[in-house]
Amino acid sequence: MTQKSTIHDVKQKFHKACGPFLKDYVTIQSIATSSIVTLYFTDLGRQVSWTTVFLAEYTGPLLIYFLFYLRIPYIYDMKESSRRLRHPVVHLACFCHCLHYIRYLLETLFVHKVSAGHTPLKNLIKSCAFYWGFTSWIAYYINHPQYTPPSFGNRQVIVSAINFLICEAGNHFINVVLAHPNHTGNNACFPTPNYNPFTWMFFLVSCPNYTYEIGSWISFTVMTQTLPVGIFTLLVSIQMSLWAQKKHKIYLKKFNSYMRRKSAMIPFIL
């Protein structure tokens, strides 16, 4: 290679690109400190696109939950299933759960600007194991013939369901704003609220999409009153709080006007 060769030219010598740590347009001359330049490549194994990861994560829970909802004979006792009528919350839970992951799938395909990069196959396996495994545990209990409905009856179910739908709508509108930061297409600005009331959460937190996401799962937990959903909600909340705080720190450094914002994910608390 010559000094005027680009990183892209170097990558062409390999069968597959090995991670975008250096931009393709950077010249070797600009990074050379001597006449000898050593480039290090790490073999991360087989790679899959981020779109594939998200579609696999969200398609699995959608199908798995529906299989438990149908009460196929290999999961539950057929005699017991036929004797016991389902409480209305079981049907409502199926609707809410399916709505949640259908929204995820549609947003992945039509809203989110998914990175064109790739990730190791092991990350896909870990993500699918987490989402698919918890969905199986959650669906098994909610659709079980001996499932016990919430303690406070229809009032608890209806209030939780309404709050769930509000959070789902809010999450969607926030994601739309994040995908289209402003009218000029410039991504170097912090998303701002618009006429949509759901976007006003930006006045209080820097990551309202996580706020609405956790709100959805808390509502689903109260609506179904099952331990597996509560554990899943707790773990998801911990992970999203870490992501939110990380993004919050980046926003504080990047945007001067952002200093007025007080919280990362939960207004006035976190």
Side-chain angles (χ1 to χ4, degrees):
M1 308 299 294
T2 65
Q3 284 192 341
K4 293 187 177 181
S5 298
T6 64
I7 296 300
H8 181 71
D9 297 331
V10 178
K11 288 183 178 181
Q12 293 302 312
K13 298 294 182 180
F14 295 85
H15 295 292
K16 293 181 179 179
C18 303
F21 294 104
L22 293 176
K23 301 297 183 181
D24 289 340
Y25 55 80
V26 175
T27 63
I28 294 179
Q29 185 177 13
S30 65
I31 60 174
T33 57
S34 66
S35 59
I36 299 177
V37 178
T38 304
L39 298 178
Y40 294 89
F41 293 86
T42 302
D43 183 6
L44 299 177
R46 188 171 181 179
Q47 305 283 297
V48 292
S49 67
W50 281 109
T51 300
T52 301
V53 173
F54 295 141
L55 292 179
E57 282 182 4
Y58 307 146
T59 303
L62 183 64
L63 299 177
I64 291 172
Y65 195 99
F66 201 65
L67 290 177
F68 281 90
Y69 175 76
L70 295 177
R71 289 184 177 177
I72 56 179
Y74 299 103
I75 301 177
Y76 304 113
D77 180 80
M78 293 303 296
K79 292 183 179 179
E80 187 175 22
S81 299
S82 60
R83 287 199 308 266
R84 293 177 176 267
L85 295 177
R86 304 191 196 203
H87 191 277
V89 71
V90 176
H91 304 292
L92 183 60
C94 181
F95 169 78
C96 291
H97 192 275
C98 292
L99 175 67
H100 181 75
Y101 283 101
I102 289 174
R103 178 182 63 81
Y104 264 163
L105 290 171
L106 294 177
E107 288 179 350
T108 299
L109 294 173
F110 304 110
V111 177
H112 294 304
K113 296 179 180 179
V114 182
S115 171
H118 294 71
T119 185
L121 180 61
K122 63 180 181 180
N123 290 341
L124 170 64
I125 296 175
K126 288 191 297 184
S127 297
C128 289
F130 177 79
Y131 282 99
W132 295 14
F134 260 105
T135 298
S136 300
W137 192 24
I138 290 170
Y140 176 80
Y141 274 86
I142 295 178
N143 296 286
H144 198 282
Q146 296 182 3
Y147 168 74
T148 303
S151 302
F152 297 97
N154 291 335
R155 179 180 299 179
Q156 178 177 342
V157 173
I158 293 173
V159 173
S160 301
I162 293 175
N163 192 66
F164 176 88
L165 295 176
I166 291 174
C167 290
E168 286 294 297
N171 204 336
H172 171 70
F173 289 120
I174 292 297
N175 287 332
V176 171
V177 172
L178 292 174
H180 306 87
N182 56 27
H183 297 293
T184 62
N186 179 22
N187 290 320
C189 67
F190 186 82
T192 55
N194 54 32
Y195 61 88
N196 189 331
F198 288 102
T199 65
W200 296 350
M201 188 67 72
F202 275 117
F203 287 121
L204 301 175
V205 297
S206 57
C207 301
N209 52 324
Y210 297 151
T211 307
Y212 283 121
E213 178 74 10
I214 293 176
S216 292
W217 282 111
I218 292 177
S219 301
F220 194 77
T221 302
V222 176
M223 181 178 68
T224 59
Q225 196 173 299
T226 53
L227 179 62
V229 183
I231 295 176
F232 179 78
T233 301
L234 176 62
L235 295 178
V236 169
S237 299
I238 294 174
Q239 180 61 71
M240 289 190 175
S241 66
L242 297 176
W243 289 340
Q245 292 180 69
K246 182 178 180 180
K247 289 186 177 182
H248 187 68
K249 291 180 180 179
I250 295 175
Y251 290 149
L252 287 174
K253 293 179 180 179
K254 194 172 183 180
F255 306 108
N256 294 329
S257 61
Y258 182 73
M259 297 302 295
R260 295 192 303 272
R261 307 180 192 278
K262 298 181 180 180
S263 306
M265 184 178 67
I266 303 177
F268 311 114
I269 298 177
L270 177 64

